[in-house]
Amino acid sequence: MTHQPEPHLPGVLAIDAGNSKTDVALVGADGRVLGSARGGGFTPQKTGGVAAVAGLAPLVEEAAAAAGLTGWTGPLTSHVSACLANADLPVEEEGLRVALESHPWGVSNTVVNDTFGLLRAGTDGPRGVAVVCGAGINCVGLLPDGRTARFPALGELTGDWGGGSGLAVSSMWHAVRAEDGRGAPTALAPAIAEHFGLPSAVAVAEAVHLGHLPFARLHEIVRVLFAVAGEGDRAALELIDRQADEITRLALVALRRLDLLDTPTPVVLGGGVLAARQSLLLDNLTARLAREAPLAEPRVVVAPPVLGAVLLGLDHLRAGPQAQERARRAYDPAHPVAA
C-alpha cells in the first residue's frame, strides 16, 4: 500500500477558473471557508495547460496566507477540487489534472469543466442538467450512476452560439450593418456608440481592431442589448429570443440523452448572462422549457461559481451534511431560486 502524505490542513482547495476571473478557496473538512483569493482569467488554450496551472500558484499562496498558513511545504490540503473553464474535453480535464499533481497543493486532485461546478451548486447531489451562459455557453447533465451528457463547447466550430461574447459580437453585427445600409435600422447602433463615448458603432469596431478599446470590454454590450430590447427594438429582441432558444435546446438534448424528460429534474441556470435574471431572457426560456419539458425544474444560481468546486471537494472527502450546509451558507445564504 502506498503511503499517503498527511496534509497540512485537512480539507479542500477549491478552484473555479473562468474566462474572466479565477476564485480560489481553502475550506476546512468541516466546511468552514478559511481563506480565499481572486485573480484573472484561466486560458490554457492560449498559454498551455502547464503554464495556466502554474499561474494559479500566487492565488493558492494568497488563500493559504489568508487562512494563516505560511511556510507550508505540501501537501497543503487533502484534496484539490478544480472546476475549470476551457477544460471542454475529457482529455483536457485529464491533462490539467496531471498538471495540478505537479504542485504541492493536494494529496489528490480532480478536474472537471466548470459547468459541472454550476450543476453541483444548484443541486443536492449528482442528478440534473446545468446550462451556463456567461462569457460563453455550455451544458452538462449528470446521473447518480455516473452517466453524463456533455457538449464539446468549442464555439462555432462545434455548433455553439451565444453567451456574453456571442451576444456582444452579434449586437455589433446588427449595429454596423444598420449604419452602413446593409441591414435594417436598429437602436443598437446609437446605444453602443453612446456607451463607449464614440461617434458610431463603426468607430467602436475600429477602436477594437486598432487596440484602442480592449476586446474584453465588448461584453459590456450585453447590458446595452437588454436595455434596447426593453424599449422594443426588433433586432435586440430577436437576439434575446435566439439566446433563449439556444439555452432551451441544450437543456432538452441533455435531458433527452439521460432519459430525464419524463422525470422531475433540476435544470440549473447560471453564468453572468443568466445570473443577471433579465426577465426578457428568463421568461422566454422558462416558457419554452414548460412547453417542451414540463417536468423540468429551472432554477437560477447567483452564488459565486467557486461554491460548486467547494461542494464537489467536500463530496470527495465524504463530508457530512453539516459541512456541506456550512459551506453553502458561506456563499449562498438563500440557496438557488426558482426561475
Side-chain angles (χ1 to χ4, degrees), residues 18-21 40-53 55 85-88 92 96 135 154 165 214-217:
N19 287 288
S20 59
K21 68 179 182 301
F42 186 77
T43 55
Q45 75 279 19
K46 296 179 181 178
T47 64
V50 172
V53 169
N86 303 306
D88 296 306
E92 292 174 318
L96 290 165
L154 303 178
S165 295
F215 185 86
R217 285 199 60 195

Side-chain angles (χ1 to χ4, degrees), residues 62-87:
E62 183 180 342
L69 302 176
T70 57
W72 51 273
T73 58
L76 174 61
T77 191
S78 310
H79 183 68
V80 178
S81 172
C83 298
L84 308 179
N86 303 306

Side-chain angles (χ1 to χ4, degrees), residues 226-273:
F226 278 100
V228 169
E231 297 172 356
D233 183 80
R234 179 176 178 180
L237 287 168
E238 287 177 351
L239 287 177
I240 293 170
D241 185 65
R242 183 180 178 187
Q243 185 66 92
D245 177 68
E246 187 70 13
I247 292 167
T248 305
R249 286 174 184 270
L250 285 165
L252 289 173
V253 170
L255 289 166
R256 191 174 297 117
R257 287 180 183 175
L258 297 176
D259 297 319
L260 290 172
L261 277 175
D262 297 324
T263 305
T265 302
V267 174
V268 182
L269 306 170
V273 174

Side-chain angles (χ1 to χ4, degrees), residues 168-255:
V169 170
S170 293
S171 296
M172 284 293 299
W173 187 89
H174 283 285
V176 171
R177 290 172 66 90
E179 285 181 347
D180 68 19
R182 286 178 291 170
T186 172
L188 284 167
I192 290 172
E194 180 181 2
H195 177 79
F196 290 107
L198 292 171
S200 65
V202 171
V204 173
E206 291 174 352
V208 172
H209 175 72
L210 295 172
H212 304 319
L213 183 67
F215 185 86
R217 285 199 60 195
L218 286 183
H219 77 274
E220 298 171 18
I221 292 174
V222 176
R223 295 197 299 272
V224 177
L225 169 67
F226 278 100
V228 169
E231 297 172 356
D233 183 80
R234 179 176 178 180
L237 287 168
E238 287 177 351
L239 287 177
I240 293 170
D241 185 65
R242 183 180 178 187
Q243 185 66 92
D245 177 68
E246 187 70 13
I247 292 167
T248 305
R249 286 174 184 270
L250 285 165
L252 289 173
V253 170
L255 289 166

Side-chain angles (χ1 to χ4, degrees), residues 1-159:
M1 178 182 295
T2 302
H3 173 70
Q4 294 287 355
E6 290 296 321
H8 198 72
L9 172 75
V12 175
L13 177 67
I15 302 170
D16 178 83
N19 287 288
S20 59
K21 68 179 182 301
T22 297
D23 280 312
V24 171
L26 193 58
V27 180
D30 62 357
R32 297 182 192 277
V33 180
L34 304 174
S36 60
R38 171 169 287 187
F42 186 77
T43 55
Q45 75 279 19
K46 296 179 181 178
T47 64
V50 172
V53 169
L56 299 173
L59 298 179
V60 175
E61 293 169 4
E62 183 180 342
L69 302 176
T70 57
W72 51 273
T73 58
L76 174 61
T77 191
S78 310
H79 183 68
V80 178
S81 172
C83 298
L84 308 179
N86 303 306
D88 296 306
L89 304 175
V91 66
E92 292 174 318
E93 291 173 335
E94 176 60 15
L96 290 165
R97 188 194 64 78
V98 171
L100 277 171
E101 283 187 340
S102 68
H103 295 270
W105 298 338
V107 176
S108 59
N109 303 268
T110 57
V111 172
V112 295
N113 180 269
D114 58 345
T115 314
F116 284 102
L118 170 65
L119 178 59
R120 183 61 184 90
T123 58
D124 293 324
R127 183 179 176 280
V129 167
V131 182
V132 62
C133 188
I137 188 167
N138 199 358
C139 175
V140 299
L142 182 62
L143 290 177
D145 62 10
R147 283 183 292 160
T148 63
R150 60 190 301 175
F151 298 81
L154 303 178
E156 290 188 8
L157 190 65
T158 52

